Amino acid sequence: MASIVLDGIAHSYADEQSQDGNTALKSIHHEWEDGGAYALLGPSGCGKTTLLNIISGLLTPSRGRVLFNQQDVTSLPAEQRNIAQVFQFPVVYDTMTVAENLMFPLRMRKLAKVDRDARVKEVLSMLGLADLADRKARRLSPDIKQKISLGRGLVRTDANAILFDEPLTVIDPELKWQLRAQLKKVHQQFSHTMIYVTHDQTEALTFADKVMVMLEGEVLQIGTPEELFNSPAHTFVGNFIGSPGMNILPCELNGPFASIGAHRIPLAQVYPATTYPGTTHPGARGRLELGIRPEYIDLVAREENSNALPATIKSIEDLGRFKIVQLMLDHHSIQVLVPEGAPVPSSPAMVFRPEHVKIYRDSVLYGSKTGPD
Amino acid sequence: MKNWNNKAWLLVLPMLALVAFSAVIPLMTVVNYSVQDSFGNNEFFWVGTEWFEEVLHSERFYNALLRNLLFSSIVLAIEIPLGVAIALCMPRRGVAVSVCLVLMALPLLIPWNVVGTIWQIFGRVDIGLLGHGLTSLGLDYNYTQDPLDAWITVILMDIWHWTSLVVLLCYSGLVAIPEAYYQAAHIDGASRWAVFRNIQLPRMKRVLLIAILLRFMDSFMIYTEPFVLTGGGPGNSTTFLSIDLVQMAVGQFDLGPAAAMSLVYFLIILLLSWVFYTVMTKSDADAAPGLGERS
């Protein structure tokens, strides 16, 4: 078990052909603490698999260093890094039984037979595969095969970390929950450092203590699921996390208000004018946007609150526990989440809860440390 | 009450005609010849199983059959491992792939009698590169006179001609293996041999089965190349069943015995192919769902 440090990792497929196309990683610094459960979240092609393969040693980065417990392992091949990896498609050795499959990495590492058997037995029972131990692995269903691939990582006592590359893609939806719960259990029991790559936010948010959101080879935000939800550092994160995603509207700043066209939205904080050197709106270099989650917009009747933003209803989608209301504010489309039972006024107006209104400058959360300046 | 529409049979008719003309009628003609004797003038006499008994009791037939079996075993024993080995060495990406594939496909594109001619000239002691080269090295090589040399030449020719088929089949099996298998094996610390034994070989099993079956059937029916190269000689040393059959049917015009022999030949190939197939799919069945049986 180990902490993993990425020191300025960058990668480009420019000179070699690859299935991943030319996804590049742009200088990534990060430290994964020993024993943590992390998720790498991002759309397809954002470089998350590349990053994973760099950690496991299947790829050598074009630049930067990988450190395990402060030791530079950048030039070590995969088999010497003691990393276990579970792939998108279950990999089992067809001709072997389930038990033999789990035994394989130990056999390759020349472990004594007694230790081998004991270890395999332990992992088999832990994954609930004991009954299938003598079955040929090839005939089993994808979820069991995926457990076998996981098991091959778990049997190794020397494993520094277990990496998962979208491991639940081929699993039936109802089994996904089971398998994810089992993963959590494994993590609690063995406390391996686990890094989980996925493009599914539910998977990432339920599995990980900390989630790293990536886009086009860059890390946009690292945080707990709650941080990602409540203060997305980037408009992409706001939109990507949450269902439906954050509403993003172009705006301007006017002291304690943000204005969208002729509408004024009160803000919880005044963005200090001193940071804007300039004239009209002093300093608003770049594009300003306002972000608000559908959960944090209240719908009221227009006549009740004259300060609310009048909007017209385009459509209402009833999802049972809540409704998603599509509204138009001038020409901007806005989604609002209305809890079950709450009425939808026929001529509605919106109230944005000020503490949840975020301002983004050039897509980056304004007033946060991560913003470029 | 069901309403039968017999017009549907009309739809089957073209296929029936095709099968009849391509398979049933020729086969029945042979069956017809095999139970009759003919003295020309289109006169035929019923002889029952006489020709079959003659064929099955003739030493000539058994000798040719043994030569066939020996030839097929040698050819399979060399071409299959060699084909697998070459396929493993072939590049997986880049321009080199197309170059290799074209090179591999070349021998397969050459007409069979041309292959025979190429090797006939190649092996000649007076002007052939191989023959002349070997003799000038001081080796006593002459495929037209020495049976062993003739066999070596015929086998070399077959390896040159057909190994690439095995290579192409195996290669197609190899490139179909997802990258994740190699990555997983890498991470599990598998050795090169372990990767071959546990990933590549099992994954190539299906195509290997096809390769073995094809190579067996083809080599067992070999005719053109040795006919052009050695004409069955020296003596009878490279007279395979097919060459013998043609000599009997066209050379000696013994239609009856030739028909009986071709039927026996046909049944032998059918039987051996079936045995091959059954044995190989059986061994596969306990490891994997066989054809028709899927889990």
Side-chain angles (χ1 to χ4, degrees):
Chain A
M1 268 145 266
S3 67
I4 299 170
V5 176
L6 300 182
D7 179 16
I9 289 292
H11 192 73
S12 158
Y13 288 111
D15 0 330
E16 53 178 299
Q17 288 192 333
S18 158
Q19 295 159 327
D20 308 30
N22 270 344
T23 331
L25 287 181
K26 298 166 194 160
S27 195
I28 289 177
H29 292 271
H30 186 60
E31 175 165 356
W32 278 291
E33 281 159 36
D34 187 7
Y38 299 96
L40 280 178
L41 180 63
S44 303
C46 71
K48 48 197 193 320
T49 298
T50 307
L51 191 59
L52 206 66
N53 287 344
I54 285 175
I55 297 170
S56 61
L58 294 171
L59 263 180
T60 311
S62 318
R63 262 190 301 123
R65 295 184 309 154
V66 182
L67 308 174
F68 288 180
N69 286 335
Q70 283 82 54
Q71 264 188 327
D72 192 339
V73 294
T74 318
S75 54
L76 284 186
E79 63 267 27
Q80 286 173 33
R81 289 201 190 180
N82 297 331
I83 287 277
Q85 190 165 352
V86 178
F87 296 90
Q88 189 168 4
F89 297 98
V91 176
V92 294
Y93 299 107
D94 290 345
T95 49
M96 301 184 195
T97 64
V98 175
E100 284 165 346
N101 255 283
L102 296 195
M103 186 94 68
F104 186 73
L106 302 181
R107 246 177 49 212
M108 288 297 129
R109 284 179 170 72
K110 311 252 186 312
L111 210 74
K113 188 161 183 341
V114 201
D115 301 337
R116 247 162 36 190
D117 291 345
R119 187 72 191 152
V120 166
K121 207 168 236 168
E122 188 187 338
V123 174
L124 278 174
S125 67
M126 140 123 244
L127 292 174
L129 294 173
D131 300 340
L132 300 170
D134 296 323
R135 289 273 297 277
K136 288 280 183 195
R138 185 172 171 176
R139 288 188 176 219
L140 301 169
S141 58
D143 59 306
I144 297 191
K145 284 185 178 175
Q146 206 55 305
K147 278 194 201 173
I148 297 171
S149 344
L150 171 63
R152 279 207 315 273
L154 291 176
V155 282
R156 288 164 46 190
T157 43
D158 58 357
N160 279 323
I162 305 184
L163 312 182
F164 298 90
D165 189 356
E166 308 197 18
L168 301 181
T169 313
V170 294
I171 311 294
D172 285 344
E174 70 262 37
L175 292 170
K176 276 188 183 175
W177 291 97
Q178 282 182 27
L179 218 56
R180 212 180 303 156
Q182 205 147 20
L183 277 183
K184 273 243 124 150
K185 208 177 86 193
V186 166
H187 182 245
Q188 279 153 12
Q189 205 161 339
F190 288 100
S191 57
H192 283 109
T193 310
M194 287 190 172
I195 302 175
Y196 190 105
V197 159
T198 179
H199 59 245
D200 179 338
Q201 50 163 315
T202 326
E203 269 177 36
L205 300 178
T206 51
F207 173 80
D209 309 328
K210 278 210 165 173
V211 179
M212 189 184 218
V213 184
M214 293 183 68
L215 179 71
E216 288 168 2
E218 271 181 300
V219 176
L220 296 180
Q221 188 172 11
I222 301 160
T224 62
E226 203 212 338
E227 286 167 352
L228 293 184
F229 189 80
N230 281 328
S231 45
H234 191 280
T235 48
F236 174 78
V237 179
N239 220 325
F240 197 65
I241 306 273
S243 172
M246 196 180 225
N247 295 300
I248 309 281
L249 305 158
C251 73
E252 274 169 43
L253 286 178
N254 283 312
F257 294 100
S259 31
I260 299 174
H263 308 288
R264 273 150 59 96
I265 294 120
L267 299 171
Q269 74 177 101
V270 176
Y271 291 86
T274 49
T275 51
Y276 312 81
T279 43
T280 24
H281 209 332
R285 285 172 304 174
R287 201 159 33 89
L288 287 177
E289 281 164 312
L290 177 151
I292 176 91
R293 290 218 171 264
E295 288 84 349
Y296 300 137
I297 302 178
D298 298 310
L299 285 188
V300 294
R302 235 175 262 182
E303 55 280 5
E304 255 173 51
N305 188 336
S306 55
N307 286 332
L309 310 169
T312 49
I313 295 178
K314 218 167 85 187
S315 67
I316 299 178
E317 225 179 305
D318 196 339
L319 297 182
R321 284 196 299 111
F322 51 81
K323 297 188 191 75
I324 297 172
V325 183
Q326 285 264 11
L327 297 133
M328 294 302 288
L329 176 70
D330 300 339
H331 58 280
H332 305 297
S333 167
I334 294 178
Q335 292 183 310
V336 176
L337 221 107
V338 178
E340 189 186 10
V344 178
S346 54
S347 55
M350 300 178 291
V351 175
F352 293 1
R353 297 184 204 163
E355 69 275 22
H356 289 295
V357 174
K358 305 286 166 196
I359 300 295
Y360 294 90
R361 186 166 68 167
D362 286 337
S363 302
V364 176
L365 185 63
Y366 190 49
S368 70
K369 281 172 287 176
T370 46
D373 234 330
Chain B
M1 194 45 202
K2 253 191 180 159
N3 196 4
W4 294 98
N5 184 349
N6 283 322
K7 279 180 195 148
W9 288 104
L10 286 174
L11 297 175
V12 190
L13 215 59
M15 200 60 224
L16 263 182
L18 196 71
V19 171
F21 279 101
S22 69
V24 180
I25 293 175
L27 187 68
M28 290 323 288
T29 317
V30 175
V31 172
N32 191 31
Y33 281 134
S34 73
V35 289
Q36 297 186 80
D37 197 358
S38 153
F39 299 103
N41 292 336
N42 248 348
E43 287 174 71
F44 287 94
F45 306 92
W46 172 261
V47 293
T49 58
E50 200 180 301
W51 299 132
F52 287 95
E53 281 164 36
E54 191 185 301
V55 165
L56 292 174
H57 287 105
S58 85
E59 211 178 315
R60 178 175 157 184
F61 175 76
Y62 284 107
N63 284 339
L65 179 62
L66 274 181
R67 279 193 283 270
N68 262 50
L69 288 172
L70 183 65
F71 178 72
S72 288
S73 344
I74 294 176
V75 156
L76 278 181
I78 298 175
E79 284 177 14
I80 299 297
L82 186 64
V84 172
I86 295 175
L88 285 172
C89 295
M90 270 172 66
R92 295 289 156 77
R93 49 177 69 135
V95 245
V97 175
S98 341
V99 175
C100 282
L101 287 179
V102 169
L103 280 179
M104 282 295 148
L106 270 183
L108 300 173
L109 297 175
I110 298 173
W112 298 5
N113 54 350
V114 176
V115 172
T117 315
I118 290 174
W119 280 78
Q120 196 214 17
I121 297 170
F122 190 44
R124 271 171 68 165
V125 220
D126 49 352
I127 56 166
L129 188 62
L130 176 74
H132 192 72
L134 285 177
T135 37
S136 50
L137 282 175
L139 289 167
D140 181 23
Y141 169 86
N142 190 336
Y143 71 87
T144 53
Q145 278 160 28
D146 186 282
L148 183 65
D149 291 350
W151 265 80
I152 291 173
T153 315
V154 172
I155 286 167
L156 273 181
M157 174 174 66
D158 200 77
I159 292 169
W160 177 83
H161 192 182
W162 288 113
T163 304
S164 45
L165 178 76
V166 183
V167 173
L168 292 178
L169 283 169
C170 289
Y171 186 71
S172 74
L174 280 176
V175 291
I177 302 175
E179 190 60 26
Y181 276 77
Y182 296 111
Q183 294 180 330
H186 211 48
I187 281 166
D188 288 340
S191 57
R192 184 68 195 84
W193 168 250
V195 170
F196 174 70
R197 176 71 196 72
N198 298 303
I199 295 174
Q200 292 173 320
L201 198 57
R203 293 252 139 187
M204 273 197 296
K205 214 167 179 174
R206 293 288 165 91
V207 283
L208 260 185
L209 168 69
I210 294 170
I212 291 175
L213 262 181
L214 278 179
R215 280 319 297 132
F216 167 71
M217 289 192 295
D218 265 356
S219 65
F220 205 77
M221 297 190 288
I222 190 162
Y223 173 75
T224 320
E225 302 103 306
F227 177 76
V228 175
L229 182 68
T230 62
N236 278 332
S237 62
T238 55
T239 303
F240 298 111
L241 280 173
S242 55
I243 294 178
D244 200 15
L245 183 64
V246 173
Q247 269 170 13
M248 199 186 279
V250 184
Q252 297 156 230
F253 222 70
D254 286 337
L255 288 185
M261 183 178 160
S262 62
L263 283 176
V264 173
Y265 190 14
F266 170 59
L267 288 177
I268 291 173
I269 292 178
L270 207 62
L271 179 77
L272 284 176
S273 298
W274 178 76
V275 168
F276 260 90
Y277 184 79
T278 321
V279 168
M280 295 185 69
T281 44
K282 259 273 162 54
S283 73
D284 197 38
D286 33 64
L291 299 173
E293 179 211 357
R294 298 238 164 232
S295 56

